Amino acid sequence: MMTTILKKLTCLFISFSIIGLLKAQKQLTVFANKPVTEVPSTMWGVFFEDINFSADGGLYAELIKNRSFEFSTPLMGWKEIKPKTGTGKLLIMNQGAISPQNSRFANIKINTTNSPYGLSNEGFRGIGVTRGKQYRFSILARKAEATDVNIRVELINASGAKIGEARIDTVSDKWVRHNVIFTVTATENKARFNVLFEGKGCIDVDMISLFPVDTWKNRPFGLRADLVQMLADLKPNFVRFPGGCIVEGRELETRYQWKKTVGEPENRTPIVNRWNTEFKHRLTADYYQTFGLGFFEYFQLSEDLGAEPLPILNCGMACQYNTSEVAPIDQLNTYIQDALDLVEFANGADTTKWGKLRSGMGHPKPFNLKMLGVGNEQWDEQYIERYKEFEKAFKARYPEIKLVAAAGPSPSGPRFDYLWAEFKKLSPNFLDEHYYQPSQWFFNNASRYDNYDRKGPKVFAGEYAAHNKDVDDPEGKNTWLSALSEAAFMTGLERNAEVVQMSSYAPLLAHVDAWQWRPDLIWFDNLRAIATPNYFVQKLFSVNKGTHVVPVLEEGKILAGKDSIYACSTIDRKAGVVIIKVVNNSPKNAPVIFKIEGVALLNKPGTIDVLTANNLTDFNTLKEPQKVAPQQNAIKANKNTLAVSLAPSSFNVFRLPYKN
Ligand code: AHR
């Protein structure tokens, strides 16, 4: 398969004699000294939502599901292990009155001699562990009465063999967090974790937890390093969080409330995940949010990635596809105050209430929050009424914070038109447009922004993905066709960076065994992660951003689908490189001549990255993760002219060094 692609790629570099070409080939001119606009520092970002097990079971590296028994069924994810001889009993205690955030714990009474009583956790569709790696078991425990009980834990692989173990011998009368690190002896994608109690007496336990020691930046109780690395490789300019519809909640009661996601993890109250039973064909009853990945961690992640944080907050409206519940205008203050307090949490001095909390969590310096979204996919008058109240409060208190308003769930139609017209009368900095559409829509809309008003709010292409026919494999909707059409569309985003100043593909992550929505940018199981063709398209745009948009024209016209070619161009003034991005959406080779005007190309090779596939229906899977992946080669212009033949159905990024 790879050989076929390589064969295809070799035809890219056929150089043509200029004379013979002039008639047959398209000639595209890049006006490198005529910048249209700077490429915004926020241009290419990522959209994170806790959907598809993206947080618990995904980015958040906790391996135990329902660690504090707070799911509505307290033993969901757990199974009791009965002793062969002796007795063992479990009570789920509820101390809501004194600890409302984490009200339940397990009270275990045992009298065992030769075989233990225990609780076995199934993890998130199994537990992924790697041979030779260290894992940190931790547990909150106290003796409930005079007792002689020890705790032993073991990891069991799919065949029932023990692949790791540790023990805690002494438990005190007070609640204490016990930690023990142990090494795993075999790799397993679907292990179970047994917590075993031996001896005689009664013990209370809570927050039963297992994390890899090797997390992102080795932070204890941190994030899954391989997944964060994939985000880091995208070099995102911003991170939008926490969604998505999860911001809205199905009803206001289950909306995302950032204040409940900060502070000590055991004091963050888990709630049901709104994607839990959203889709009848993908019911996921065990999908909850523990908020171990909460707003502090989102800010920290953004900082780690060198990206601007972009939180989106509830505006007093639950999902309009579900309940459409709204908070009365005269009770909106709670929601507005939450938003104002978030700015204090992110940016405030540690003399302020919320700044002090951030500082106490280990980040004395501000996170430097600059933008904030008000509502997700809202629409109609009730949204405008509520948005106005937020805008008023922010203009008064934090006029420097840029506000993002929503343009509804669709890219056109009466709701969309209404919102745009209304928002032009107000002052949001960005309007968040969403498009989940077939590939053809993306090809057709490559020039969508060419005539957008440059004076109104800027566009945030906040959620988009090409949705085509269903295929059985989980990753089967992330076809090369979908990615190619997004690349074509993105040439239009970059060309119009004057008005489109932020964009992000959605959703970002999906567990192959626990997804609700697809396509998605990155697929993973309990041990591995794979990039989709769509990921590679995002990455090629992002790492080849450039500093200024410059025109690339054919006979004075932009290229947005004529003869199946889509193109945009930037220059990177710091690096001294002309960057051209071109999609060939035809099943044939496309011979093209680029003429670079306004700068002198250096007499040295540049590069071409080519992303293509044998078939438009190809996609990457855990078994074949590199089926569709970019290939880089050297390429050299002849003075300021470059003649190439673009591979059929390909996305190409040229980098040509010039004399700076
Ligand atoms: O990305 C998945 C969902 O699509 C988001 O939660 C929502 O904003 C949109 O409808």
Side-chain angles (χ1 to χ4, degrees):
M1 202 281 315
M2 282 314 292
T3 37
T4 330
I5 292 183
L6 285 175
K7 267 188 216 152
K8 269 192 186 179
L9 291 179
T10 49
C11 21
L12 281 168
F13 309 112
I14 301 167
S15 284
F16 297 82
S17 94
I18 302 296
I19 299 159
L21 286 170
L22 286 176
K23 275 188 270 154
Q25 286 184 279
K26 281 180 106 52
Q27 184 169 308
L28 312 187
T29 308
V30 176
F31 296 93
N33 62 344
K34 296 199 172 153
V36 179
T37 182
E38 281 186 18
V39 183
S41 59
T42 49
M43 189 70 203
W44 311 113
V46 292
F47 161 97
F48 181 88
E49 174 165 22
D50 187 3
I51 185 171
N52 304 316
F53 277 39
S54 297
D56 292 333
L59 204 56
Y60 185 51
E62 173 64 87
L63 297 169
I64 302 300
K65 186 169 67 187
N66 193 13
R67 62 187 175 185
S68 61
F69 310 102
E70 303 296 329
F71 287 17
S72 49
T73 306
L75 282 188
M76 186 176 263
W78 295 97
K79 263 192 198 148
E80 276 184 283
I81 303 170
K82 296 282 186 191
K84 291 194 189 97
T85 55
T87 57
K89 272 194 186 156
L90 170 128
L91 276 180
I92 294 297
M93 307 289 264
N94 193 320
Q95 53 172 1
I98 52 165
S99 174
Q101 300 97 336
N102 176 5
S103 59
R104 294 196 188 128
F105 61 87
N107 167 269
I108 289 161
K109 192 167 200 159
I110 55 164
N111 186 354
T112 68
T113 40
N114 296 327
S115 67
Y117 170 82
L119 287 173
S120 177
N121 193 274
E122 66 190 19
F124 299 90
R125 305 296 183 274
I127 294 174
V129 288
T130 307
R131 180 169 182 256
K133 294 277 177 193
Q134 291 188 311
Y135 291 81
R136 182 193 308 273
F137 163 63
S138 72
I139 187 169
L140 282 175
R142 72 171 173 197
K143 283 183 196 170
E145 57 189 51
T147 216
D148 181 21
V149 176
N150 64 53
I151 305 171
R152 188 160 58 82
V153 293
E154 54 185 26
L155 272 163
I156 303 294
N157 72 9
S159 332
K162 199 193 294 179
I163 55 171
E165 65 181 326
R167 59 186 298 134
I168 292 165
D169 289 319
T170 325
V171 175
S172 79
D173 296 338
K174 299 233 166 65
W175 281 113
V176 171
R177 183 188 277 279
H178 300 265
N179 278 279
V180 55
I181 290 176
F182 63 98
T183 302
V184 163
T185 56
T187 297
E188 173 62 59
N189 193 20
K190 290 195 179 287
R192 293 190 67 89
F193 188 62
N194 296 340
V195 187
L196 305 168
F197 303 92
E198 296 165 316
K200 185 171 177 212
C202 193
I203 182 170
D204 293 330
V205 293
D206 202 356
M207 291 297 283
I208 300 176
S209 166
L210 183 70
F211 271 82
V213 168
D214 290 349
T215 54
W216 171 252
K217 290 193 180 281
N218 294 322
R219 290 192 184 113
F221 312 106
L223 306 183
R224 210 175 119 169
D226 61 332
L227 292 180
V228 182
Q229 188 57 55
M230 288 197 67
L231 305 187
D233 292 345
L234 282 172
K235 298 209 184 318
N237 301 153
F238 64 87
V239 179
R240 171 189 172 152
F241 57 87
C245 293
I246 211 150
V247 169
E248 304 158 24
R250 239 190 254 190
E251 56 290 292
L252 285 171
E253 181 63 23
T254 54
R255 71 188 188 277
Y256 197 100
Q257 298 185 58
W258 75 265
K259 288 177 179 167
K260 297 190 175 182
T261 75
V262 291
E264 288 302 318
E266 52 265 40
N267 294 331
R268 305 179 191 176
T269 312
I271 62 167
V272 73
N273 186 300
R274 61 140 302 135
W275 296 105
N276 160 305
T277 52
E278 182 72 17
F279 298 122
K280 297 270 173 299
H281 66 295
R282 295 294 303 172
L283 291 175
T284 323
D286 58 341
Y287 198 2
Y288 280 71
Q289 305 174 81
T290 62
F291 299 118
L293 173 54
F295 260 46
F296 179 87
E297 290 78 17
Y298 284 128
F299 279 117
Q300 197 175 44
L301 174 66
S302 310
E303 185 177 79
D304 290 349
L305 299 175
E308 296 289 345
L310 171 49
I312 307 284
L313 296 191
N314 189 293
C315 64
M317 299 177 73
C319 180
Q320 286 168 277
Y321 285 118
N322 297 144
T323 61
S324 273
E325 262 188 355
V326 293
I329 294 284
D330 62 4
Q331 289 168 32
L332 211 55
N333 197 38
T334 317
Y335 297 79
I336 295 174
Q337 195 58 48
D338 274 359
L340 296 173
D341 288 343
L342 181 63
V343 182
E344 187 177 291
F345 177 73
N347 296 351
D350 61 8
T351 47
T352 63
K353 175 179 173 193
W354 294 104
K356 187 174 173 192
L357 177 63
R358 180 201 70 240
S359 181
M361 289 182 74
H363 202 284
K365 282 196 197 143
F367 280 120
N368 206 7
L369 174 68
K370 297 188 189 119
M371 10 179 217
L372 183 140
V374 180
N376 177 46
E377 279 183 348
Q378 326 300 158
W379 61 79
D380 282 350
E381 299 84 353
Q382 59 269 38
Y383 177 40
I384 298 295
E385 283 161 14
R386 282 160 185 76
Y387 173 82
K388 274 184 189 163
E389 299 299 316
F390 277 79
E391 189 175 288
K392 219 191 300 163
F394 268 82
K395 293 291 165 224
R397 181 77 180 82
Y398 294 118
E400 72 281 12
I401 296 288
K402 292 186 175 164
L403 293 183
V404 178
S410 338
S412 56
R415 281 176 185 154
F416 178 88
D417 294 342
Y418 167 77
L419 289 171
W420 258 103
E422 288 300 312
F423 280 122
K424 281 195 173 176
K425 297 181 218 155
L426 296 161
S427 353
N429 300 82
F430 296 96
L431 264 197
D432 175 12
E433 297 191 353
H434 294 183
Y435 3 86
Y436 295 105
Q437 300 288 329
S439 276
Q440 199 51 52
W441 184 94
F442 283 88
F443 286 122
N444 294 346
N445 276 269
S447 51
R448 174 182 175 92
Y449 294 109
D450 290 343
N451 299 313
Y452 253 54
D453 180 3
R454 264 55 183 160
K455 297 200 187 81
K458 303 301 178 199
V459 172
F460 169 27
E463 291 185 32
Y464 63 88
H467 281 227
N468 297 317
K469 272 205 292 239
D470 276 355
V471 186
D472 279 347
D473 309 62
E475 314 91 335
K477 277 192 143 219
N478 286 98
T479 57
W480 173 228
L481 172 64
S482 69
L484 186 67
S485 66
E486 288 153 12
F489 179 72
M490 288 169 76
T491 62
L493 301 185
E494 185 179 280
R495 183 173 54 249
N496 290 288
E498 224 179 334
V499 62
V500 185
Q501 302 213 330
M502 290 195 285
S503 73
S504 45
Y505 181 98
L508 185 60
L509 290 158
H511 191 298
V512 285
D513 296 326
W515 57 272
Q516 294 77 46
W517 177 293
R518 60 185 188 156
D520 304 286
L521 203 62
I522 298 167
W523 287 91
F524 62 91
D525 67 6
N526 291 333
L527 289 173
R528 299 162 295 173
I530 56 152
T532 58
N534 317 68
Y535 173 95
F536 289 125
V537 165
Q538 293 292 321
K539 185 173 168 189
L540 283 170
F541 269 91
S542 179
V543 302
N544 294 295
K545 190 163 91 154
T547 56
H548 295 78
V549 176
V550 295
V552 48
L553 303 173
E554 182 188 24
E555 294 172 353
K557 297 207 175 96
I558 59 155
L559 286 121
K562 183 170 172 270
D563 302 323
S564 304
I565 300 292
Y566 302 77
C568 60
S569 183
T570 60
I571 51 163
D572 187 327
R573 282 201 183 151
K574 286 182 214 138
V577 185
V578 176
I579 305 166
I580 313 166
K581 305 185 181 86
V582 200
V583 166
N584 173 20
N585 181 34
S586 119
K588 296 193 180 130
N589 284 303
V592 171
I593 297 177
F594 293 106
K595 290 221 156 233
I596 315 299
E597 286 199 356
V599 293
L601 292 188
L602 291 177
N603 185 22
K604 71 176 205 189
T607 56
I608 173 176
D609 282 282
V610 186
L611 189 55
T612 186
N614 285 339
N615 303 297
L616 289 170
T617 50
D618 284 353
F619 54 89
N620 294 336
T621 60
L622 287 166
K623 277 191 202 125
E624 272 189 291
Q626 292 287 313
K627 190 167 185 176
V628 186
Q631 304 287 319
Q632 190 174 84
N633 280 286
I635 194 159
K636 192 153 173 286
N638 182 353
K639 299 206 170 121
N640 268 29
T641 301
L642 179 71
V644 292
S645 178
L646 305 172
S649 305
S650 64
F651 173 43
N652 310 268
V653 181
F654 299 90
R655 290 180 70 92
L656 306 172
Y658 68 82
K659 200 164 159 211
N660 212 349

Coordinates of all heavy atoms in Angstrom, one line a residue, residues 47 49 51 240 243-246 248 274-275 321 376-377 409 434 436 463 506-508 517 520, ligand 1:
F47 N -10.6 22.1 20.1 CA -11.9 22.1 20.8 C -12.0 20.9 21.7 O -12.0 19.8 21.2 CB -13.0 22.1 19.8 CG -14.4 21.7 20.3 CD1 -15.3 22.6 20.7 CD2 -14.7 20.3 20.4 CE1 -16.5 22.2 21.1 CE2 -15.9 19.9 20.9 CZ -16.9 20.9 21.3
E49 N -14.0 18.7 24.4 CA -15.3 18.5 25.2 C -15.2 17.1 25.8 O -14.7 16.1 25.2 CB -16.5 18.6 24.2 CG -17.8 18.2 24.9 CD -19.1 18.6 24.2 OE1 -19.0 18.8 23.0 OE2 -20.1 18.7 24.9
I51 N -16.7 14.3 25.7 CA -17.6 13.5 25.0 C -16.8 12.3 24.6 O -15.5 12.4 24.5 CB -18.2 14.2 23.8 CG1 -19.3 13.4 23.0 CG2 -17.1 14.7 22.8 CD1 -20.0 14.3 21.9
R240 N -10.2 25.5 23.4 CA -11.6 25.8 23.8 C -12.0 24.7 24.8 O -11.8 23.5 24.5 CB -12.5 25.8 22.6 CG -13.9 25.9 22.9 CD -14.8 25.7 21.7 NE -16.2 25.6 22.1 CZ -17.2 26.0 21.3 NH1 -16.9 26.5 20.1 NH2 -18.4 25.9 21.7
G243 N -16.6 22.6 26.3 CA -17.4 22.1 25.2 C -17.9 23.2 24.4 O -17.4 24.3 24.6
G244 N -19.0 23.0 23.6 CA -19.8 21.9 23.5 C -21.1 21.9 24.4 O -21.3 22.8 25.3
C245 N -22.0 21.0 24.0 CA -23.3 20.9 24.7 C -23.1 20.6 26.2 O -24.0 20.9 26.9 CB -24.1 19.8 24.0 SG -24.6 20.2 22.4
I246 N -21.9 20.1 26.5 CA -21.8 19.8 28.0 C -21.8 21.1 28.8 O -22.2 21.0 30.0 CB -20.4 19.0 28.2 CG1 -20.6 18.1 29.3 CG2 -19.3 20.0 28.4 CD1 -19.8 16.9 29.2
E248 N -24.0 23.4 28.4 CA -25.4 23.7 28.6 C -26.1 22.8 29.6 O -26.9 23.2 30.3 CB -26.1 23.6 27.2 CG -25.5 24.5 26.2 CD -25.8 24.0 24.8 OE1 -26.9 23.4 24.6 OE2 -25.1 24.3 23.8
R274 N -23.7 14.4 30.2 CA -24.9 14.6 29.4 C -24.9 13.7 28.1 O -25.9 13.5 27.5 CB -25.1 16.1 29.0 CG -23.9 16.6 28.2 CD -24.5 17.5 27.1 NE -25.4 16.9 26.2 CZ -26.5 17.3 25.8 NH1 -26.9 18.5 26.2 NH2 -27.3 16.7 25.0
W275 N -23.7 13.1 27.8 CA -23.7 12.3 26.6 C -24.0 10.8 27.0 O -24.1 9.9 26.1 CB -22.3 12.3 25.9 CG -22.1 13.7 25.4 CD1 -21.2 14.6 25.9 CD2 -22.7 14.3 24.3 NE1 -21.3 15.8 25.2 CE2 -22.2 15.6 24.2 CE3 -23.7 13.9 23.3 CZ2 -22.6 16.5 23.2 CZ3 -24.1 14.8 22.4 CH2 -23.5 16.1 22.3
Y321 N -31.9 21.6 22.2 CA -32.3 20.4 21.6 C -33.0 19.5 22.6 O -33.8 18.6 22.3 CB -31.1 19.6 21.0 CG -30.6 20.2 19.7 CD1 -29.3 20.6 19.7 CD2 -31.4 20.3 18.6 CE1 -28.8 21.2 18.5 CE2 -30.9 20.8 17.4 CZ -29.6 21.2 17.4 OH -29.1 21.8 16.2
N376 N -23.2 28.1 24.3 CA -22.6 27.3 23.2 C -23.5 27.4 22.0 O -23.5 28.4 21.4 CB -22.5 25.8 23.7 CG -22.0 24.9 22.6 OD1 -21.1 25.2 21.9 ND2 -22.7 23.8 22.5
E377 N -24.3 26.4 21.7 CA -25.2 26.4 20.5 C -26.6 27.0 20.9 O -27.5 26.2 20.8 CB -25.3 25.0 19.9 CG -24.1 24.7 19.1 CD -24.2 23.3 18.4 OE1 -25.1 22.5 18.7 OE2 -23.4 23.0 17.5
P409 N -26.5 26.4 16.0 CA -26.0 25.1 15.6 C -25.7 24.9 14.1 O -25.1 23.9 13.8 CB -27.1 24.1 16.1 CG -28.3 24.9 16.1 CD -28.0 26.4 16.2
H434 N -20.8 26.9 13.6 CA -20.6 25.5 13.6 C -21.1 24.9 12.3 O -22.1 25.2 11.9 CB -21.4 24.8 14.8 CG -20.9 25.2 16.2 ND1 -21.5 24.8 17.3 CD2 -19.9 26.1 16.5 CE1 -20.8 25.3 18.4 NE2 -19.9 26.1 17.9
Y436 N -21.3 20.9 10.8 CA -21.2 19.5 10.7 C -21.9 19.1 9.4 O -23.2 19.0 9.4 CB -21.8 18.7 11.9 CG -21.0 19.0 13.2 CD1 -21.6 19.9 14.2 CD2 -19.8 18.5 13.4 CE1 -20.9 20.1 15.3 CE2 -19.1 18.7 14.6 CZ -19.6 19.6 15.6 OH -19.0 19.8 16.7
E463 N -16.6 24.8 15.6 CA -16.8 23.4 15.6 C -17.1 23.0 14.1 O -18.0 23.6 13.6 CB -18.0 23.0 16.4 CG -17.9 23.1 17.9 CD -19.1 22.6 18.7 OE1 -19.7 21.6 18.2 OE2 -19.4 23.1 19.7
A506 N -14.0 19.6 15.5 CA -14.7 19.0 16.7 C -15.4 17.7 16.3 O -15.9 17.6 15.2 CB -15.7 20.0 17.2
P507 N -15.5 16.8 17.3 CA -14.8 16.8 18.6 C -13.4 16.4 18.5 O -13.0 15.9 17.4 CB -15.6 15.9 19.5 CG -16.9 15.6 18.8 CD -16.6 15.8 17.3
L508 N -12.6 16.5 19.6 CA -11.2 16.2 19.5 C -10.8 14.8 19.7 O -10.0 14.2 19.0 CB -10.6 17.1 20.7 CG -9.1 17.2 20.8 CD1 -8.4 17.7 19.6 CD2 -8.7 18.0 22.0
W517 N -20.0 10.0 19.5 CA -20.1 10.9 18.3 C -18.9 10.7 17.5 O -17.8 10.5 18.0 CB -20.1 12.3 18.9 CG -20.1 13.4 17.9 CD1 -19.2 13.7 17.0 CD2 -21.2 14.4 17.7 NE1 -19.5 14.8 16.3 CE2 -20.8 15.2 16.7 CE3 -22.4 14.6 18.3 CZ2 -21.6 16.3 16.2 CZ3 -23.2 15.7 17.9 CH2 -22.8 16.5 16.8
D520 N -14.1 12.1 14.8 CA -13.4 12.8 15.8 C -11.9 12.9 15.4 O -11.4 12.1 14.5 CB -13.4 12.0 17.1 CG -14.9 11.7 17.5 OD1 -15.5 12.6 18.0 OD2 -15.4 10.6 17.3
Ligands
AHR1 O1 -19.0 18.3 19.0 C1 -20.1 17.6 19.4 C2 -21.3 18.5 19.7 O2 -21.7 19.1 18.5 C3 -21.1 19.7 20.6 O3 -21.2 19.3 21.9 C4 -22.1 20.7 20.2 O4 -21.7 22.0 20.4 C5 -22.4 20.3 18.7 O5 -23.7 20.2 18.5

